[in-house]
Amino acid sequence: MSEVMGTLRDLLRAAVGHVPDEQSDPDAMHVDDHDDFGPSRVSKDSGSPSGKEQVIARSGALRQIVDVCVTSLSVFPVLQSSSGESTRDKQLTELVVDAEGDAFLLLAPAYLNNVRHKILNVNLSAFESLLEKFELLLRSYNLSRSTEIQILTIQLLHSTMHIWIQEAIAQTEIGENVQGLCEWLASLLSTSKLPSWVARDLVVRFLDDYFPLDPGQKAWPEDIEADFRTPVIILTTFGGDQDVRVRFRAAAANARLLHFAPKLGVQANTLYHNIRQNLSKNLDECVFLLHRILYILQFIVSGMNPC
Amino acid sequence: MPSKRVRLENPVVALLSAIRVQTNANVRAYHLQSLLFFIDRHWNVMHDDSQREVTSAILQFLSYDDPLIQSWSFMCFAAIAHAVGVDRATPINPSTQALDNSIWDSIWTHAMRRSNVPAVCRAACHVAHTMLHHAKALLSPQRVLTEIETLAKDLDVQGPSFPYDSVCGFLVRCIRVASQDVRLYRMQLEEKVLTWLMDSWRPSAIIRSKMPLHCVEDVLNLLEHICGTNRKAQLVCQVALPDCRIVEALTEDHSTAIIRNFLLHAQLPPFRAPSAAGKPQLAISSPVLPSQANAPGSADLALPRGRERRISGFLLKSLEDLIQIWETPKDILGPMTAERTRSSLDFAIIALLFESTLVLDNTRSNRRNIQAACKLLRLLAPLTVDSRWTITEKALIVSAWDPLILSEPRRNGTEPWESLLLPEEESGIRREVLNKFASNVNTSIQREKAARIELQRVLFYSSDASLISSS
């Protein structure tokens, strides 16, 4: 029965090996030679129907294959072990770290998801390799603006939170690298360079999960420069976000934040004021107004009494 | 000059007459499907008169000779039954009864009579299942018992043609009903269901090009009810949605419905504790480990009783048949399809899960079954990587592992939005009421997950040690 895990690994490798072959697609946009991340495409097989449908069709099935394989490789050892501790899988981590281009985009989300659920264990050296890989990706001008890479980076921070929040790690070089990523994220937000609502939504969820784990915000870079903001401030600004979906998510997150005020070391009053400031006062903008109502409801329901 | 206003035609009426007028069965069925979607979403918003009109029209369609029309009519009734049942279950403002209760009894009887007609049994059992689910609101108890008794009498000789998903669900409900009635209990419905199952389900005679119309969870659930086991973990078996823009759009639509309802209709969903799904948790390393006492073959486990042995025997025979099929050279095998591979994988997993369920129920499992199932898995596993499959086919085959790895359903689309937070003490709500809010939904989700993980653990624990090697 040893074949099962081995087969899953083979299938996973084959699946990511299937990915991009830019030259074969005559409709391909001109792709910068240094850029592995052409428009996300999957290579065509012979005898398959025309271009676009096939591409779309494959990517969903491919993602499913990757998801099942990665999850199985992560979950099987846990179920089998009597201690139930999370799986250490060097081969899988190497596969992810070594992947390039679309293969990486395919593998990373499934991998990070299992890390987040603490099914997969990432040791420090693996974490370091991952961080290095992301830093490399972000240095390229093209990639640092790629929505997918931005989303993946936020996912990285979110999924590995339980590692870098630890005080011992925060002091090391790894901790510094993570802080670098946090600063990058904060600066993108303050300069409105995160155009994708999905990415901003993810930031809200990330911060929402971050505060209970690190109320003192010790792992976050200190507010050195004037235009950097603390995570608390960042979360409050989402009340005024352009996208209704992000605002809706932020409503619940901000209400929870208010609840945490004493633990965060901020005055509930001040926090409430900050949150309110970000909500639109424009009576013409009906949608924004409805959001004020939602916020008020949240506060009533959670019994906040900042006055 | 005032322009003439165009008279608006009632689309529902138009749909109904289209069904009546058409002679082509497929077109009629198509219109019935449209009607079904409409009923599914908007039944409770319709006027009483409309409801009555639709109901009597569908009753007419039920009497048409065409099995396709009959099936879709049954489906429509199932949707109506569900809408009415849910509506009557809400304590606040149930709508007035537009429909006479006697109609339900007659549809129930009709469905039960049709439950053994091959072309219609899947739909008939679906509507019967739905009505049983809402029996309190819809049916008279005496009718329910009478019809189940009639079904039970002849089940082992003449029953539904195949253990379809709805058939399995329906029989599970019947068994539950029978267990609470003295007369039915004496009829030993479980035995009859088992005999019927072994007769109608031929796992080794697998259809080549289509997946069987049931999933692992359906069959497993039925087997468990036949044996009367205590534990009921519902495993996750998801059918992959087709890959296309429309599906993506609808999925996102579904995720964002909560936002739209608030902004456009000033509605918030009924209050429930925020789901813990999606929040990372340590459930996978749950404290519920199979203790030594539960090790299969341990002397503390009870011996399997009659039904368990019959099922194990049946599973073993089919496993051996399948092993023989997959062992022989490919030219005798005939065209190997992804569906065949996947359905054989499913069967091996059903067998393993069944034996694990026995262990969880403190019964000794059958060692030979476990070994045969593992052998079948060993034979099939390498085929998943075969280069002949397309990506979609590979995805189909590899998803066979879902019931064993998923502790909660896979989410399509974005993580759900929370509407309102859980109220706290400072909100002024009384403590007893607060506690009620907090307890129910969250813990039942947690319990479901824990039950799944427990079953999955036992499966890995009981299977041959070489099932999964740490390669």
Side-chain angles (χ1 to χ4, degrees), chain B residues 134-334:
Chain B
H134 296 289
K136 277 202 198 102
L138 301 174
L139 298 170
S140 56
Q142 202 41 52
R143 274 288 189 117
V144 172
L145 296 173
T146 319
E147 289 297 334
I148 295 186
E149 195 178 326
T150 316
L151 175 84
K153 276 204 195 101
D154 296 324
L155 187 58
D156 41 5
V157 180
Q158 189 195 39
S161 53
F162 182 79
Y164 294 116
D165 43 8
S166 55
V167 174
C168 291
F170 167 61
L171 289 174
V172 161
R173 288 260 162 195
C174 289
I175 291 177
R176 283 201 197 144
V177 169
S179 66
Q180 293 171 339
D181 178 73
V182 175
R183 203 185 142 101
L184 282 178
Y185 184 71
R186 267 190 249 134
M187 291 184 73
Q188 300 244 338
L189 182 57
E190 292 93 334
E191 290 287 344
K192 308 238 175 180
V193 171
L194 183 52
T195 311
W196 162 82
L197 182 65
M198 299 202 311
D199 202 37
S200 59
W201 186 29
R202 302 196 187 251
S204 34
I206 33 186
I207 318 169
R208 271 191 237 140
S209 58
K210 288 194 334 183
M211 287 295 293
L213 292 169
H214 61 207
C215 70
V216 168
E217 171 58 27
D218 297 322
V219 179
L220 194 62
N221 199 17
L222 183 59
L223 289 175
E224 285 164 8
H225 275 82
I226 291 174
C227 297
T229 58
N230 269 326
R231 132 5 282 162
K232 305 282 190 308
Q234 291 210 308
L235 296 168
V236 178
C237 297
Q238 285 174 302
V239 177
L241 293 175
D243 231 336
C244 60
R245 292 279 191 232
I246 292 183
V247 170
E248 274 175 46
L250 282 178
T251 313
E252 273 310 302
D253 208 59
H254 181 76
S255 327
T256 53
I258 186 178
I259 302 178
R260 264 199 313 285
N261 285 339
F262 176 68
L263 288 181
L264 300 178
H265 308 294
Q267 276 174 7
L268 284 172
F271 202 83
R272 41 178 49 194
S275 138
K279 299 265 181 211
Q281 52 199 289
L282 301 158
I284 194 76
S285 42
S286 88
V288 183
L289 298 168
S291 62
Q292 274 307 106
N294 276 345
S298 146
D300 287 345
L301 292 180
L303 284 171
R305 293 158 299 180
R307 277 176 229 145
E308 286 98 346
R309 276 190 305 214
R310 275 177 81 191
I311 295 179
S312 290
F314 169 71
L315 292 175
L316 185 59
K317 171 87 182 34
S318 307
L319 281 170
E320 285 168 350
D321 286 343
L322 280 170
I323 290 176
Q324 214 177 23
I325 293 178
W326 288 101
E327 261 176 350
T328 50
K330 307 289 162 48
D331 42 21
I332 305 179
L333 184 59

Side-chain angles (χ1 to χ4, degrees), chain B residues 440-455:
Chain B
N440 298 327
V441 179
N442 218 9
T443 45
S444 78
I445 293 180
Q446 292 297 85
R447 249 184 284 132
E448 266 178 39
K449 287 173 85 143
R452 276 179 206 130
I453 296 175
E454 200 186 354
L455 181 58

Side-chain angles (χ1 to χ4, degrees), chain A residues 1-11 14-15 18 42 45 53-54 56-65 67-69 71-73 75-86 89 91 116-119 158 197-198 201 205 208-209 244-257 259 286-287 290-291 293-294 297-298 300-305, chain B residues 238 240 243-245 248 252 256 258-259 262-264 268 271 274 278-282 284-286 289 370-371 373-379 381-385 389-392 394-396 398-402 404-406 408 410-411 414-429 449 453 456-458 460-461 464-471:
Chain A
M1 210 49 96
S2 55
E3 281 101 87
V4 179
M5 294 268 280
T7 308
L8 290 169
R9 273 185 223 284
D10 290 340
L11 183 56
H18 254 273
V42 176
D45 245 351
E53 279 87 27
Q54 198 62 6
I56 298 169
R58 298 274 205 75
S59 65
L62 253 186
R63 267 182 277 129
Q64 191 179 358
I65 295 176
D67 191 59
V68 173
C69 288
T71 309
S72 305
L73 288 171
V75 168
F76 284 171
V78 181
L79 291 174
Q80 233 197 342
S81 88
S82 51
S83 61
E85 47 169 57
S86 40
D89 193 323
Q91 279 186 45
R116 188 161 81 93
H117 284 89
K118 301 201 181 124
I119 303 173
H158 194 184
W197 76 267
V198 177
D201 186 59
R205 278 152 52 197
D208 200 18
D209 287 339
V244 61
R245 290 166 286 203
V246 180
R247 288 198 305 269
F248 206 88
R249 178 93 62 197
N254 276 318
R256 251 194 294 273
L257 193 66
H259 222 280
C286 174
V287 166
L290 288 168
H291 268 281
I293 296 176
L294 180 63
L297 285 174
Q298 295 279 22
I300 293 175
V301 149
S302 55
M304 286 320 302
N305 189 3
Chain B
Q238 285 174 302
D243 231 336
C244 60
R245 292 279 191 232
E248 274 175 46
E252 273 310 302
T256 53
I258 186 178
I259 302 178
F262 176 68
L263 288 181
L264 300 178
L268 284 172
F271 202 83
K279 299 265 181 211
Q281 52 199 289
L282 301 158
I284 194 76
S285 42
S286 88
L289 298 168
I370 296 178
Q371 284 172 338
C374 288
K375 183 169 180 192
L376 184 55
L377 284 180
R378 257 200 301 268
L379 279 173
L383 291 174
T384 48
V385 209
W389 307 129
T390 64
I391 299 281
T392 321
K394 278 191 191 154
L396 174 67
V398 87
S399 306
W401 297 112
D402 273 355
L404 299 186
I405 59 177
L406 294 178
E408 55 181 356
R410 224 180 238 116
R411 196 185 353 265
T414 328
E415 174 149 343
W417 277 262
E418 254 177 289
S419 54
L420 289 179
L421 297 185
L422 204 56
E424 301 283 333
E425 279 191 9
E426 296 97 350
S427 58
I429 302 180
K449 287 173 85 143
I453 296 175
Q456 291 162 349
R457 275 184 172 282
V458 172
F460 279 89
Y461 192 81
D464 265 348
S466 53
L467 166 67
I468 313 287
S469 96
S470 45
S471 45

